[in-house]
Amino acid sequence: KAVDVASEESFDLVLMDIQMPVMDGMQATTALRGQGYSTPIVALTANVMADDVQRYSEQGFSDHLAKPIELSQLYATLHRWLGVP
C-alpha cells in the first residue's frame, strides 16, 4: 500500500517503517526508487548499527530515525529535509 500511495500522491517526505507485513520497508523503498521516486525517504527502525545504517543508504533511504523515536531527533530530521523549524 505504501508504494501505491506514494506513487499516486505527492509527499514532501516519507517516513518508512522497516518492518511491515507483506512488503518490508527495504523492499518498498527499492520499488519506489526503481520507479524514479525522488522524495526523501527516512527509515524508521530499531536497527541502527553502522552496518544497518549503511545498508539503508545503499537501498535508497535518504536518512534514518531510531526507534523509539526521540522528538528532538524527529524535529532535527524534519528540519534537515523540509526546513521545518
Side-chain angles (χ1 to χ4, degrees):
K1 288 185 178 184
V3 173
D4 292 340
V5 170
S7 298
E8 296 171 3
E9 297 185 33
S10 177
F11 295 95
D12 295 325
L13 178 80
V14 173
L15 298 174
M16 182 75 73
D17 195 346
I18 294 296
Q19 294 183 347
M20 298 186 297
V22 182
M23 178 184 285
D24 67 25
M26 299 282 276
Q27 294 167 319
T29 298
T30 298
L32 287 169
R33 294 299 192 219
Q35 296 173 6
Y37 194 77
S38 61
T39 298
I41 301 174
V42 178
L44 301 179
T45 181
N47 301 317
V48 292
M49 300 297 289
D51 291 345
D52 296 319
V53 172
Q54 180 178 347
R55 190 176 66 223
Y56 302 141
S57 178
E58 291 168 355
Q59 286 294 130
F61 286 92
S62 307
D63 207 342
H64 72 282
L65 281 171
K67 289 183 189 177
I69 297 172
E70 294 182 24
L71 280 180
S72 62
Q73 292 298 317
L74 174 61
Y75 293 146
T77 301
L78 294 175
H79 179 71
R80 181 179 315 115
W81 293 103
L82 302 176
V84 175

